[in-house]
Amino acid sequence: MFWIERLNLRGVVIESFEISTNKNMHWLGDYDLIYDLFQILSGLQDNYEGSILWNDKDIRQLNAVENRSMRRELGFVFDWGGLISNQTLLQNILLPLQYYNEFHEDMIHEIEGIYKRAGYEKELYDRPFHVAHPVRKFTSLIRGIFSGVKCLMVEDIAMGLRPKDIELIHDLLETKNLNVHYYDSLGKFSLENSDSMSIISNQEESVA
Amino acid sequence: MAFFYSWVQKWAYFVVSLHEALDLFVKSMVSGLIEERQSFRSIVQVISAQVYFTGVQAMPFVAFSASLISFAVMLQANFQMSLWGSTDLPGFLYVTIVFRELSIIVPSIFLVARSGSAIASELAAMRVNREIDALKIMGIHPYSYIVFPRIVGGFISLLGLAIYFNIIGIVVAGLSVNLLFDMDSIHLISMIFDEIVMIDVLIFFVKILLSAAIIFTVCALKGLKVQKSNHEIPQATMSAVISSLLYVCVFHLMFTAIFYVYKLRLI
């Protein structure tokens, strides 16, 4: 669970707000503000006013062990993907698992099965720049889902995916019982799969 | 005044870069060994790939240069022997020129040219493509996952290449003296080993450790300093090659000077 205190996002101040990692949430409002919040939570932006607490500690002051635990609780998938270009798609998916020593051989079969269902089985052994954008997007989502985090924050989950891929992702999220925070310009998929909604806009901040 | 200002600016840049490189080296070691330890399998994969590309692929070039240098030194030794008449000169010259200096500096130059530039451009491209950011958000520490294995792999490669350089060098030296000057190869090899003392071996390891640390840290630093645009990649690569060569040569010279001052004090 994360706690926001007096966080200033481009002039919009969030006084106090809880981000729960135990439920599916749909984020609505100004895209740039939500993007900033996601960037801050992911650790890519640390020059901001206010604070974000995780287990009562400011996320900017966590030690290495605490930071590692925090990153295992909350993962991110941004629309830019961030796949490692000198690794195959399969290697990209297995990367966090191998890094955290959570890899099992049967995971490869599971991933191969998913890619076969999607019709991307050949691409699984290709490198990111050699496959089409929907496959890259699909892979970055699969990497997030398989990364072993408790909750995933996803930017534009359905953007650029085929309907068949969206269905597959939906099934996987249900099977893995993964909580997802959606931040989506299309909104349909996110709305259908969320328990709650947060709105951040330059007018006001509210939680529905 | 302008000359003085430019001189001060260059030295300030040198000191700042050195400080940044040292900072990156310490942080990479701390994160790789203590704070952000990754799984053994993951680290072995990256280090072995690094050793293959840096060490194994450079072996033919190192063998070729070791052969040429060793042959040239033996030719010089023969020429000097004819002037001075000292029979243990080939062994002395081999240890002084090849073992103590060239067997480290030549593989270091190969490493800078081949792997240093590759690492700088690879990390710069990763930075531009936001792959470093992707690692961060997955909780994968870039210093632990990228820099640490490259420094360790670079050290293993340089150590291997320097030893390989000496093996090839000694074999070629033995063959050269035997074929050209009718001297017994075994006698030359025993002369070489008689010349090498404990402090030589110690300085050999220290120089390799330092050279590898300098090359791979400086090149990683230059690559990681790239911000957002592709046009920065060749600039970073060029800067990495020049800086790491400069630092390696300066530190090499420093250690050689320390060694000879130490030897003079013994005399």
Side-chain angles (χ1 to χ4, degrees), chain A residues 9-48:
Chain A
L9 297 170
R10 303 183 189 218
V12 175
V13 180
I14 304 175
E15 283 295 335
S16 59
F17 181 63
E18 181 194 304
I19 300 176
S20 171
T21 50
N22 292 323
K23 54 186 174 186
N24 296 312
M25 192 180 275
H26 179 51
W27 290 83
L28 265 180
D30 289 342
Y31 210 83
D32 51 350
L33 300 182
I34 302 168
Y35 186 76
D36 277 359
L37 176 64
F38 273 41
Q39 289 266 315
I40 290 168
L41 283 167
S42 68
L44 294 181
Q45 202 175 307
D46 56 5
N47 186 19
Y48 55 88

Side-chain angles (χ1 to χ4, degrees), chain A residues 6 17 22 33 141 160 172-173 175 177-178 188 193 195 201:
Chain A
R6 295 177 182 276
F17 181 63
N22 292 323
L33 300 182
L141 285 165
L172 260 176
L173 288 172
T175 317
N177 207 14
L178 189 66
K188 188 171 174 281
N193 294 285
D195 316 319
S201 80

Side-chain angles (χ1 to χ4, degrees), chain A residues 35 39 42 44 64 68 71 78 80 82-87 95-96 98-101 103 105 143, chain B residues 35-39 41-42 45 122 126 129-131 133-141 144-145:
Chain A
Y35 186 76
Q39 289 266 315
S42 68
L44 294 181
R68 213 174 154 112
R71 295 279 160 242
F78 286 103
W80 44 265
L83 296 175
I84 310 298
S85 54
N86 62 3
Q87 297 186 354
L95 174 62
Q98 286 176 337
Y99 185 83
Y100 288 110
N101 214 6
F103 167 72
E105 290 292 334
R143 182 172 71 177
Chain B
E35 286 182 347
E36 300 277 347
R37 281 174 66 181
Q38 49 183 310
S39 75
R41 184 186 173 132
S42 167
Q45 266 182 1
E122 184 193 3
M126 283 181 83
N129 294 330
R130 301 199 74 176
E131 291 169 28
D133 285 348
L135 291 177
K136 277 187 196 166
I137 62 175
M138 285 191 285
I140 297 175
H141 201 290
S144 156
Y145 182 68

